[in-house]
Amino acid sequence: QMVAPSSHSQQHDRTNHPRAVPAIGPNIVPTPRPRSKRKRKQDAIDLFNKRVAEDTENAKQASNAQMEAYRAQSEAAQLMKEAALKLTEAQEAFIEASRMSFRASALKAEYYQLKIDKLKQSANESQ
C-alpha cells in the first residue's frame, strides 16, 4: 500500500508543520488513564499539606525576619542613647574648657594690671 511520494501528497504532509497533528500510528499520544477517586482525594490532601508546610515555613521566616528587625532597632536605639550621652559629656567638657579659658584671660588681665600699677608706682617714686 506504499505510494511513491508525489508533490501532491507532500503538500498534505503535516509532520514538519509547526503544530503537527500526530497521525494514527507510532506517533499517537496515548491518553492517560483517568485517576481514581481515591488517588484524586490523596493528591488533593498532599497538595493541601504541601501548601500548609509552605505557609508555615513562610510564616516562620517572616517571624524570624521580624525578630531580627526588632533586635536591630533595639541595638540602634541603644547606640543612639550612648551617642547622646557622649555628646552631652563633650558639650559639658567644652563649657568647662571655655570657663577655664575665660578665667585664664581674667587672671592674665589682672596680672598685667598689677604690672602696670607697679610700673606707675616705681615711676612716681623715681620722680
Side-chain angles (χ1 to χ4, degrees), residues 29-96:
V29 180
T31 55
R33 235 173 87 240
R35 294 179 302 155
S36 67
K37 191 174 182 180
R38 191 173 57 84
K39 178 82 173 108
R40 285 198 308 268
K41 198 172 182 181
Q42 189 57 50
D43 286 352
I45 290 168
D46 291 347
L47 182 64
F48 176 78
N49 288 339
K50 182 182 164 198
R51 285 186 180 157
V52 166
E54 285 172 359
D55 289 351
T56 303
E57 183 59 32
N58 289 343
K60 213 158 63 175
Q61 286 177 356
S63 175
N64 288 346
Q66 208 172 12
M67 283 299 291
E68 198 57 44
Y70 177 74
R71 265 197 292 272
Q73 201 176 13
S74 174
E75 200 176 313
Q78 184 61 36
L79 288 171
M80 282 170 65
K81 190 173 157 188
E82 288 171 19
L85 282 171
K86 291 256 190 282
L87 181 64
T88 304
E89 287 172 14
Q91 286 170 335
E92 286 171 353
F94 177 75
I95 290 167
E96 190 57 34

Side-chain angles (χ1 to χ4, degrees), residues 93-108:
F94 177 75
I95 290 167
E96 190 57 34
S98 299
R99 280 197 193 117
M100 288 177 160
S101 173
F102 184 74
R103 181 79 181 114
S105 297
L107 288 170
K108 216 181 223 181

Side-chain angles (χ1 to χ4, degrees), residues 8-36:
H8 178 74
S9 69
Q10 279 176 342
Q11 282 177 344
H12 294 288
D13 182 21
R14 293 173 172 268
T15 52
N16 294 329
H17 194 271
R19 287 190 304 258
V21 177
I24 301 295
N27 294 341
I28 196 158
V29 180
T31 55
R33 235 173 87 240
R35 294 179 302 155
S36 67

